[in-house]
Amino acid sequence: MGLFDDVVVENVLNGDVNDYEDNKILSNKENALKLISKVLEIKKGRYYQLSRIDRLDNMIDDAFLSSLKKIQMANEAQIQIELAKLSDKLMEQKKYTILRNKATIGIGGKFSAGKSKFINSLLKSGEEFLPEDQNPTTSIPTYMIYGENEEIKAFTRDDNEVLLSIEEMQALTHKFFKEYHIGFSSFIDSLVIVNPDLPYKELAFLDTPGYSKADEIGKGRTQRELSDKNRAYEQLRSVDYLIWLVDIENGTLVTTDIDFILKVGVRTPILIVANKSDKKSENEIASILDEIKNSAIGAGINLYDVTAYSSRNGQEWHDKGVISGFFEYALNNPIKKDDIIARIEDISDGISAELKSKIEHKTKERNALCDIIYRSDNILEIKSLVDLYGDSMESLRSMKQCRTEYNRTIRKIKNLLKEQYLGE
């Protein structure tokens, strides 16, 4: 997807800006171009950093398990899933230091489920931190976290870090695309909003792009929306906890939502929230929540609970406290993931222990064969045992060779991670 979405460059300077006088970026062409230049600026030294990140990503994705290809690990499939999630976290490398030691709660759902408005309402900031004038062309994954100093950072697709003002961030909406025909989601990977007034100091909230059903492509929709769905998936599969929003007017949890939730594979229980509850009666809400709960459980979703919420009124249905309880659960649950280095250490320790056990078992097997051969006086039996002994020795040699290669690979990964994030 290009910077200028099927529109000639001259259109950036041609347009009626009278409708956006409340924002100096939207109402002034020079300011708009300055924002574009600011986001697209390439800083010196980025290519070396990107090269190091690429090497880390490749080593975690490929070299880690390739070094063990001659050994069948007991939980290899689960290790691959874990490594894929760590790889996603790694590619968020600059945000890594900001998000470190925080549990990330992802907010997912279809486009128009009201995710941004939900977060703005839930945090009760009295200010619209997240732009709500979004569509699949302008949606950008956005983290909101507590910090002593207020700041907004944009992280570009080429891993550049750009400080933005509130006005610049609020210009990253459909209005900018409509006026200048430029979709910032084409080249901004994500935003991070740091604010001292946000509650839950140890939590990070992630607002992700919505998505439309595949069968809506071609009905006023574009292939770009499929990209938004993939983008949301990549972001959400690295979160620690997930809140899934549904528009209560849909009346149920649709199949595409179920498929998406199961594909993300979050390890912790999921909270499903039926948003826009002010549009339904009491009886309708109760019936819809029952329908959603039954659909989720029937599909095998690991469910925390189901509740309803009105972003317009800033109130959970019947003030049940399910959402605040979910936040407390996220804060106190020991399943919370630590940083990349700690997770690599955990996985590495598990693999090393399994390798040690396999080598010890194979060594005992070889020694037992040797003892049987020594005690046997049957020539035919000895010949067969010698063949088995040879196979056992070759298997043991291969295991030790794999362990050596694995240890070499894991040392490289750990050293690169410490160099990247700890400056060692």
Side-chain angles (χ1 to χ4, degrees):
M1 179 164 51
L3 170 60
F4 301 96
D5 296 305
D6 302 323
V7 180
V8 294
V9 176
E10 289 85 326
N11 279 352
V12 177
L13 301 176
N14 296 327
D16 182 7
V17 298
N18 295 328
D19 295 337
Y20 313 123
E21 294 180 356
D22 57 334
N23 187 294
K24 295 178 182 179
I25 310 298
L26 295 172
S27 62
N28 186 290
K29 296 170 184 175
E30 290 186 7
N31 289 338
L33 287 175
K34 286 180 182 178
L35 177 58
I36 296 169
S37 299
K38 182 178 182 178
V39 172
L40 290 179
E41 179 186 4
I42 299 178
K43 297 180 181 179
K44 294 180 179 179
R46 303 304 297 176
Y47 292 110
Y48 170 71
Q49 288 190 7
L50 286 174
S51 174
R52 185 166 59 196
I53 287 293
D54 287 339
R55 278 187 292 153
L56 269 167
D57 190 46
N58 289 333
M59 290 184 77
I60 290 177
D61 270 347
D62 301 322
F64 199 103
L65 286 179
S66 292
S67 60
L68 302 171
K69 58 187 176 182
K70 294 182 180 179
I71 302 177
Q72 183 65 45
M73 305 300 292
N75 58 341
E76 186 170 324
Q78 184 59 40
I79 292 174
Q80 287 178 323
I81 292 172
E82 283 291 313
L83 292 178
K85 290 183 177 183
L86 287 175
S87 180
D88 290 337
K89 270 189 173 291
L90 178 64
M91 296 313 287
E92 302 288 295
Q93 60 104 4
K94 288 301 290 184
K95 293 188 293 300
Y96 173 87
T97 55
I98 298 175
L99 299 175
R100 195 172 183 180
N101 299 323
K102 294 183 183 292
T104 301
I105 297 180
I107 314 296
K110 289 183 61 180
F111 179 70
S112 80
K115 294 183 296 299
S116 298
K117 192 173 185 67
F118 171 75
I119 295 176
N120 284 332
S121 169
L122 202 61
L123 297 180
K124 301 184 186 302
S125 61
E127 181 177 355
E128 183 183 308
F129 285 110
L130 294 176
E132 296 173 12
D133 176 27
Q134 300 281 319
N135 72 3
T137 304
T138 56
S139 296
I140 300 170
T142 303
Y143 292 89
M144 295 189 69
I145 64 174
Y146 168 86
E148 294 183 359
N149 299 312
E150 185 175 339
E151 65 179 7
I152 301 169
K153 292 183 178 182
F155 296 89
T156 65
R157 294 295 183 90
D158 59 3
D159 201 39
N160 199 11
E161 180 181 323
V162 182
L163 281 173
L164 299 176
S165 67
I166 291 179
E167 194 164 40
E168 287 172 330
M169 186 271 291
Q170 291 176 339
L172 308 180
T173 66
H174 181 54
K175 290 179 181 178
F176 197 101
F177 178 80
K178 182 179 178 182
E179 181 59 38
Y180 300 110
H181 306 284
I182 296 176
F184 278 98
S185 61
S186 303
F187 49 95
I188 293 181
D189 181 66
S190 57
L191 297 170
V192 174
I193 300 173
V194 183
N195 192 282
D197 295 326
L198 296 179
Y200 302 105
K201 296 181 180 181
E202 296 180 11
L203 297 180
F205 296 89
L206 171 62
D207 180 30
T208 58
Y211 68 92
S212 297
K213 294 186 296 183
D215 58 10
E216 289 179 326
I217 301 299
K219 299 179 181 179
R221 307 289 185 179
T222 68
Q223 190 67 26
R224 182 183 293 109
E225 294 188 21
L226 288 179
S227 176
D228 282 332
K229 183 174 182 177
N230 292 333
R231 194 172 182 183
Y233 166 69
E234 290 173 358
Q235 294 275 345
L236 287 175
R237 73 175 182 175
S238 65
V239 303
D240 303 304
Y241 304 91
L242 176 63
I243 297 177
W244 191 263
L245 249 61
V246 298
D247 188 333
I248 200 166
E249 293 193 287
N250 290 337
T252 187
L253 187 67
V254 296
T255 302
T256 49
D257 283 351
I258 292 172
D259 291 343
F260 194 102
I261 292 170
L262 294 175
K263 183 180 179 183
V264 167
V266 175
R267 296 185 299 172
T268 50
I270 294 166
L271 172 62
I272 300 178
V273 177
N275 197 20
K276 309 178 186 178
S277 63
D278 51 282
K279 295 186 176 183
K280 294 292 182 180
S281 68
E282 289 287 313
N283 290 338
E284 288 175 322
I285 293 173
S287 177
I288 290 170
L289 294 186
D290 284 342
E291 172 66 25
I292 291 173
K293 187 171 186 177
N294 291 334
S295 296
I297 294 175
I301 291 174
N302 183 13
L303 192 64
Y304 175 85
D305 207 342
V306 178
T307 190
Y309 187 84
S310 169
S311 296
R312 175 183 295 177
N313 300 329
Q315 186 175 18
E316 185 177 351
W317 185 56
H318 286 185
D319 293 321
K320 295 176 67 176
V322 173
I323 298 174
S324 59
F326 184 73
F327 294 160
E328 291 299 324
Y329 165 74
L331 286 169
N332 299 321
N333 185 9
I335 296 177
K336 178 175 66 177
K337 291 198 293 289
D338 294 318
D339 55 51
I340 296 175
I341 296 175
R343 287 299 300 139
I344 287 290
E345 291 280 4
D346 289 344
I347 295 173
S348 173
D349 289 345
I351 290 176
S352 295
E354 186 173 350
L355 282 174
K356 180 181 178 181
S357 175
K358 286 180 178 293
I359 289 175
E360 287 178 350
H361 177 77
K362 185 59 66 174
T363 300
K364 290 180 180 179
E365 178 186 280
R366 179 205 62 185
N367 292 343
L369 285 169
C370 183
D371 186 58
I372 294 172
I373 291 171
Y374 176 78
R375 294 175 182 277
S376 178
D377 55 6
N378 187 313
I379 299 299
L380 293 177
E381 182 183 56
I382 291 175
K383 184 179 184 305
S384 297
L385 289 171
V386 166
D387 290 340
L388 290 174
Y389 182 83
D391 291 341
S392 182
M393 285 293 294
E394 175 59 27
S395 179
L396 186 59
R397 185 197 65 80
S398 179
M399 283 184 179
K400 290 182 177 180
Q401 184 179 4
C402 283
R403 182 175 63 178
T404 299
E405 184 180 348
Y406 167 75
N407 288 337
R408 186 184 303 117
T409 299
I410 199 64
R411 279 196 299 270
K412 288 180 180 178
I413 291 175
K414 289 179 180 179
N415 288 337
L416 283 171
L417 283 170
K418 290 177 180 178
E419 179 184 354
Q420 178 66 29
Y421 298 119
L422 304 181
E424 298 182 0

